[in-house]
């Protein structure tokens, strides 16, 4: 897929972008039945725009003319946050904790993002830090965003790690998000987002996915006991 050329982002004629129900590989983790803890580390097969639950109409989050002209599929995830791009140059990490006894979302973000940080550090990717509510960054530039969807029976976490996707697709398809973390300071996608490759860590996807899978296999339902309350929240 190539980016459409000579198509100004603004202004646009009124257009309607079709939005699919969430049907990506981690959809099975949203099922109510299953193990107390499961995870999936996966590389998207193609470029897809994924809207957050609260994004409303797709046209408010994407440049509709370019998305339609280039045939970019759009779906909407059940979790919050802003629109993101998945591509074969990214890695998705998804996990679910099925339990009526749950911790605040912040605790899950820290557990899972720390697991990712440790996995990256083990393969020589240094300098990864927590930023904002649920991002990981190198310096002041984001390499991973994550979100959570929860109900009384389970907490579902998923994240997107940028291996080598440049910001051109983000600039072409995604409008500036309505809600931004403070550390973004109004920067464009190009100025705000980086990738592991751009940061000096051009590792193959299979190396990264293997390290992440190994780190998440070390987790179990017992991993949550240290921060769970005595009663359901």
């Amino acid at each position: 897929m190539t980016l459409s050329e000579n198509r100004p982002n603004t202004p646009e004629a009124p257009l309607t972008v079709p939005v699919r129900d969430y049907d990506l590989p981690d959809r099975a983790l949203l099922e109510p039945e299953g193990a107390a803890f499961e995870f999936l580390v996966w590389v998207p097969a193609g470029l897809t725009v994924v809207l957050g639950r609260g994004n409303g109409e797709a046209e408010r989050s994407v440049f509709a003319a370019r998305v339609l002209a280039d045939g970019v599929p759009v779906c909407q995830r059940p979790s919050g946050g802003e629109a993101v791009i998945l591509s074969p140059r990214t890695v998705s990490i998804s996990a679910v904790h099925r339990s009526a006894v749950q911790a605040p979302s912040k605790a899950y973000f820290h557990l899972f993002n720390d697991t990712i940080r440790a996995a990256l550090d083990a393969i020589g990717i240094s300098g990864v830090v927590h930023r904002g509510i649920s991002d990981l960054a190198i310096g002041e530039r984001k390499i991973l965003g994550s979100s959570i969807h929860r109900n009384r029976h389970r907490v579902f976490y998923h994240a997107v790690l940028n291996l080598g996707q440049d910001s051109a697709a983000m600039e072409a398809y995604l409008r500036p998000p309505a809600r931004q973390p403070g550390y973004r300071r109004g920067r464009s996608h190009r100025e705000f987002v980086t990738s592991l490759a751009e940061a000096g860590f051009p590792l193959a996807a299979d190396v990264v996915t293997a390290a992440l899978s190994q780190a998440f296999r070390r987790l179990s339902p017992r991993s949550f006991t240290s921060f769970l309350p005595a009663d359901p929240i």
Side-chain angles (χ1 to χ4, degrees), residues 83-120:
V84 299
I85 282 181
L86 305 186
S87 83
R89 297 178 181 177
T90 66
V91 171
S92 292
I93 307 103
S94 310
V96 63
H97 177 219
R98 294 186 179 94
S99 175
V101 182
Q102 301 170 4
S105 294
K106 182 178 179 180
Y108 289 100
F109 281 131
H110 276 278
L111 173 65
F112 293 133
N113 286 357
D114 276 342
T115 300
I116 293 169
R117 288 177 62 206
L120 297 179

Side-chain angles (χ1 to χ4, degrees), residues 144-189:
L144 176 142
S146 61
S147 58
I148 278 175
H149 180 258
R150 60 191 303 157
N151 58 29
R152 289 180 298 170
H153 306 291
R154 56 118 178 93
V155 178
F156 172 70
Y157 160 98
H158 52 182
V160 181
L161 174 66
N162 191 350
L163 292 185
Q165 178 62 55
D166 64 38
S167 58
M170 299 174 204
E171 293 282 352
Y173 301 130
L174 301 184
R175 294 182 181 275
R179 295 165 294 178
Q180 301 184 8
Y183 82 102
R184 181 165 181 157
R185 300 190 303 276
R187 287 178 288 171
S188 68
H189 297 304

Side-chain angles (χ1 to χ4, degrees), residues 119-219:
L120 297 179
D121 187 69
I123 53 176
I125 300 172
S126 58
V128 178
V129 297
H130 287 277
R131 297 305 306 264
I133 294 174
S134 58
D135 292 351
L136 293 179
I138 294 178
E140 293 294 306
R141 300 183 69 189
K142 176 180 174 179
I143 61 163
L144 176 142
S146 61
S147 58
I148 278 175
H149 180 258
R150 60 191 303 157
N151 58 29
R152 289 180 298 170
H153 306 291
R154 56 118 178 93
V155 178
F156 172 70
Y157 160 98
H158 52 182
V160 181
L161 174 66
N162 191 350
L163 292 185
Q165 178 62 55
D166 64 38
S167 58
M170 299 174 204
E171 293 282 352
Y173 301 130
L174 301 184
R175 294 182 181 275
R179 295 165 294 178
Q180 301 184 8
Y183 82 102
R184 181 165 181 157
R185 300 190 303 276
R187 287 178 288 171
S188 68
H189 297 304
R190 191 182 307 278
E191 296 168 322
F192 177 57
V193 175
T194 191
S195 67
L196 294 182
E198 186 179 2
F201 305 103
L203 298 179
D206 59 347
V207 173
V208 177
T209 57
L212 290 168
S213 296
Q214 183 178 38
F216 273 78
R217 274 195 292 269
R218 297 192 187 102
L219 300 179

Side-chain angles (χ1 to χ4, degrees), residues 17-20 22 48-62 74-84 174:
V17 175
V19 179
R20 302 193 321 246
Y22 192 76
T48 302
V49 171
V50 183
L51 305 176
R53 180 179 57 187
N55 282 154
E57 296 176 349
E59 298 77 26
R60 296 164 58 183
S61 298
V62 306
V74 178
C75 66
Q76 189 160 34
R77 64 182 184 268
S79 58
E82 297 295 326
V84 299
L174 301 184

